[in-house]
């Protein structure tokens, strides 16, 4: 009679395996990040003033993900030096059609004409938007390799192999001051990292979260970029 | 050796599992998607009204536009725009013109006290899905055509516009992304119409009061009295069918 090993034995063995593999790979699954800013003019923000985060137009080939825009907005709105973030859709709808992908100004030279349009300056003032932050960039898979195969049958299934891939999250944020009608500067971030997926029966994904790190890095830098003493 | 009933049961069960798996995989390979676009959110536009009275005749396709397409080797997509085009253009023209009415086929607009009437239509609808474009995005193109007639029923302008919307696919599937791309394309058309309609067609020059004052003026008549100063030449070119440029 064939003896079936108790489930607890199998779980113990798997746990030991993970204990060996995980520390090795977690060390390797790190990311490298670079965040920098270029200031053009003095910034600052007063009580009641806020920011709105916009994506550069897809008419210009921009691919910035909605998820990233939401992430940056949420990160700006919480923690120390939190900013008041006006929801993007609310701002775009209130100023329809002047911030649609086709019609939004592509540079600050268009701002005076835009503000002169009927109702635009009043609506922006009513919304309390001081800065527009234009996001540009995306996350791309730049390299990858390895091999992983999975199989399933009536008796069960499993995977075996090893795969890896490298992602690069590169984003720029141009900050426009709607009071001064000029660019305040840009903040950019570039985060790259390699993810690993080893599999011995069970795949163990070790993901380098480059987009999440880019979001946090960019938001932190934007806060310090904008929240300075206006009269310093 | 006698096979136990339990063993037979296992065999049947395994066969059934295999058949069900095969059926499920076949169904996955030949699936179809139906996307319905209900009333899109078109906000009140921040725009100055054009001081003319217009009537609009919507074609039947505006009431229930359905586009079907088989993506080769993949799946069948059905996009139902429903009444969204009617709602879009109604909202748009209400905001753009001093006076605006919708008329049905039983009404001859020439009998109405209006300056112009407009007949929008859809020339073409296209879309792409990630498997076609090799990008993570769904894209929609809608080509509208706007014909403008003066109060006498003469065609004054024929303006084609191309609108484009793009949306990244989400983990929730392609339906939402395609729906959003279609709505963005409709908003794009609305933005384009607001920004360029008067410049491209010169519709504001059809104001009857302006026309009658020009006619009554002792000044020598202009060669093109219907066009105000600054009106673009496109209104002339767009009046010529199918020779227009693509402004979109």
């Amino acid at each position: 009679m064939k003896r079936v090993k108790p489930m607890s034995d199998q779980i113990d063995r798997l746990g030991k395996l993970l204990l060996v593999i995980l520390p090795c790979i977690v060390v390797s699954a790190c990311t490298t990040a670079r965040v920098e800013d270029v200031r053009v003019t003095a910034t600052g923000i007063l009580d009641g003033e806020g920011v709105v985060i916009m994506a550069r137009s897809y008419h210009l080939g921009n691919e910035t993900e909605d998820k990233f825009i939401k992430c940056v907005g949420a990160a700006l709105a919480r923690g120390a030096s939190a900013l008041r973030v006006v929801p993007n859709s609310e701002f775009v709808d209130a100023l329809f059609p002047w911030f649609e992908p086709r019609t939004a100004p592509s540079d600050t030279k268009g701002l005076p004409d835009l503000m002169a349009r009927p109702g635009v300056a009043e609506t922006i003032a009513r919304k309390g938007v001081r800065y527009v932050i234009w996001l540009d960039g995306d996350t791309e898979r730049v390299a990858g390799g390895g091999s992983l195969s999975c199989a399933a049958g009536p008796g069960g299934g499993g995977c075996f192999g090893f795969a890896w891939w490298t992602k690069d999250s590169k984003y720029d944020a141009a900050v426009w001051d709607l009071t001064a009608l000029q660019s305040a500067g840009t903040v950019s971030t570039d985060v790259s990292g390699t993810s690993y997926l080893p599999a011995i029966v069970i795949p163990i994904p070790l993901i380098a979260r480059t987009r999440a790190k880019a979001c946090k890095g960019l938001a932190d830098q934007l806060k310090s970029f904008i929240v300075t003493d206006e009269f310093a | 050796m006698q096979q136990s009933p339990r063993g037979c049961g296992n065999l049947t069960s395994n066969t059934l599992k295999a058949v069900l798996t095969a059926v499920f995989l076949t169904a996955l390979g030949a699936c179809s998607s139906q996307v319905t676009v209900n009333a899109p959110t078109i906000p009140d536009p921040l725009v100055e009204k054009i001081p003319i009275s217009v009537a609009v005749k919507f074609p039947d396709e505006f009431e229930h536009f359905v586009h079907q397409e088989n993506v080769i080797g993949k799946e069948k997509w059905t996009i139902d725009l429903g009444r969204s085009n009617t709602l879009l253009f109604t909202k748009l023209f209400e905001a753009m013109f001093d006076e605006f009415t919708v008329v049905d086929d039983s009404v001859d607009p020439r009998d109405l006290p209006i300056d112009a009437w407009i007949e929008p239509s859809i020339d073409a609808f296209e879309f792409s899905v990630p498997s076609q474009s090799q990008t993570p995005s769904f894209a929609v193109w809608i080509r509208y055509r706007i014909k403008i007639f003066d109060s006498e029923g003469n065609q004054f302008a024929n303006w084609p516009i191309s609108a484009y919307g793009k949306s990244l696919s989400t983990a929730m599937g392609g339906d939402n992304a395609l729906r959003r791309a279609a709505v963005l394309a409709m908003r794009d058309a609305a933005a384009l119409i607001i920004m360029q309609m008067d410049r491209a067609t010169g519709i504001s020059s059809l104001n009857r009061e302006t026309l009658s004052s020009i006619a009554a003026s002792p000044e020598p008549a202009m060669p093109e009295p219907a066009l105000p100063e600054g009106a673009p030449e496109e209104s002339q070119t767009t009046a010529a069918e199918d020779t227009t440029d693509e402004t979109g």
Side-chain angles (χ1 to χ4, degrees):
Chain A
M1 184 179 168
K2 190 180 174 184
R3 182 175 168 267
V4 178
K5 286 182 183 174
M7 187 63 119
S8 57
D9 281 1
Q10 290 181 13
I11 290 171
D12 280 351
R13 286 178 61 190
L14 189 63
K16 283 174 188 169
L17 191 66
L18 285 178
L19 281 176
V20 174
I21 293 174
L22 272 179
C24 304
I25 298 177
V26 164
V27 172
S28 305
C30 60
T31 56
T32 56
R34 180 176 58 82
V35 182
E36 57 190 30
D37 64 62
V38 177
R39 186 179 293 277
V40 177
T41 60
T43 52
I45 195 158
L46 303 173
D47 284 346
E49 292 180 336
V51 303
V52 66
I53 300 166
M54 306 278 295
R56 287 278 189 202
S57 171
Y58 51 68
H59 284 276
L60 304 172
N62 183 38
E63 300 273 357
T64 305
E65 307 89 349
D66 287 346
K67 212 182 279 184
F68 186 78
I69 296 167
K70 283 178 186 163
C71 174
V72 172
L76 284 177
R78 67 172 177 254
S81 308
L83 300 176
R84 188 173 74 83
V85 179
V86 176
N88 169 291
S89 56
E90 184 185 313
F91 181 78
V92 172
D93 283 356
L95 288 157
F96 184 74
W98 307 116
F99 279 87
E100 294 297 300
R102 182 190 291 271
T103 57
S106 57
D107 56 43
T108 50
K109 286 177 191 166
L111 279 180
D113 285 345
L114 175 66
M115 297 298 263
R117 290 190 183 280
V120 171
E122 295 82 355
T123 305
I124 289 173
R126 197 172 62 245
K127 292 279 171 197
V129 173
R130 168 78 184 271
Y131 296 101
V132 175
I133 298 168
W134 291 97
L135 293 182
D136 196 350
D138 58 7
T139 295
E140 285 183 345
R141 179 176 164 145
V142 292
S147 170
L148 183 74
S149 57
C150 296
C159 299
F160 187 80
F162 180 79
W164 63 274
W165 62 94
T166 300
K167 282 193 172 180
D168 191 13
S169 298
K170 199 180 281 187
Y171 296 92
D172 293 323
V175 183
W176 291 5
D177 186 341
L178 293 183
T179 305
L181 301 186
Q182 60 183 0
S183 170
T186 57
V187 178
S188 56
T189 182
D190 187 353
V191 180
S192 63
T194 305
S195 301
Y196 302 97
L197 184 59
I200 302 170
V201 183
I202 298 170
I204 304 159
L206 297 154
I207 308 296
R209 302 190 182 281
T210 56
R211 188 162 58 194
K213 287 214 171 187
C215 164
K216 187 176 183 314
L218 193 66
D220 289 346
Q221 192 67 19
L222 277 169
K223 271 188 201 170
S224 64
F225 182 88
I226 290 172
V227 185
T228 56
D229 185 358
E230 187 153 34
F231 305 105
Chain B
M1 184 179 161
Q2 192 178 1
Q3 194 171 26
S4 70
R6 185 178 170 80
C8 185
N10 278 344
L11 184 66
T12 309
S13 172
N14 287 341
T15 309
L16 188 64
K17 275 181 190 171
V19 169
L20 285 176
T21 307
V23 168
F24 177 65
L25 291 175
T26 307
L28 269 183
C31 63
S32 64
S33 297
Q34 168 126 14
V35 176
T36 303
V37 180
N38 294 318
T41 307
I42 304 294
D44 295 329
L46 285 177
V47 63
E48 279 186 332
K49 288 190 182 235
I50 298 172
I52 58 171
S53 60
V54 300
V56 175
K57 263 189 172 182
F58 290 121
D60 285 344
E61 65 184 8
F62 264 45
E63 293 292 332
H64 34 72
F65 181 87
V66 179
H67 177 83
Q68 286 188 334
E69 192 169 323
N70 287 310
V71 177
I72 297 169
K74 296 282 179 181
E75 52 199 340
K76 182 180 177 183
W77 287 87
T78 302
I79 302 169
D80 183 356
L81 296 184
R83 297 195 69 239
S84 53
N85 278 302
T86 303
L87 297 169
L88 166 75
F89 279 86
T90 302
K91 177 121 188 181
L92 196 60
F93 291 150
E94 269 176 355
M96 286 181 68
F97 300 108
D98 258 1
E99 290 176 41
F100 164 75
T101 45
V102 178
V103 295
D104 58 32
D105 283 342
S106 64
V107 177
D108 186 343
R110 286 173 292 190
D111 298 335
L112 300 173
I114 54 171
D115 298 312
W117 94 74
I118 302 172
E119 284 187 8
S121 58
I122 297 174
D123 272 3
F125 183 99
E126 292 175 41
F127 70 93
S128 72
V129 297
S131 61
Q132 293 172 303
S133 62
Q134 302 300 314
T135 69
S137 302
F138 285 80
V140 167
W141 294 263
I142 307 176
R143 188 177 167 95
Y144 293 99
R145 183 170 293 275
I146 293 181
K147 288 183 180 174
I148 298 172
F149 301 85
D150 64 16
S151 55
E152 303 296 321
N154 304 308
Q155 184 172 304
F156 180 75
N158 184 344
W159 184 39
I161 55 172
S162 282
Y164 172 60
K166 190 171 96 169
S167 180
L168 286 171
S169 57
T170 62
M172 300 300 288
D175 290 10
N176 282 338
L178 189 56
R179 186 180 297 113
R180 182 165 159 72
V183 170
L184 286 173
M186 293 169 81
R187 282 181 72 126
D188 191 42
L192 189 63
I193 291 167
I194 289 169
M195 282 186 68
Q196 296 188 0
M197 186 170 183
D198 193 30
R199 206 158 37 125
T201 65
I203 189 172
S204 61
S205 65
L206 289 175
N207 186 316
R208 283 169 302 162
E209 287 179 14
T210 309
L211 289 175
S212 57
S213 67
I214 291 171
S217 166
E219 297 289 323
M222 298 290 288
E224 293 290 339
L227 292 174
E229 188 180 346
E233 292 181 0
E234 283 96 323
S235 59
Q236 299 302 299
T237 57
T238 50
E241 180 78 39
D242 293 333
T243 58
T244 53
D245 64 333
E246 194 54 60
T247 49

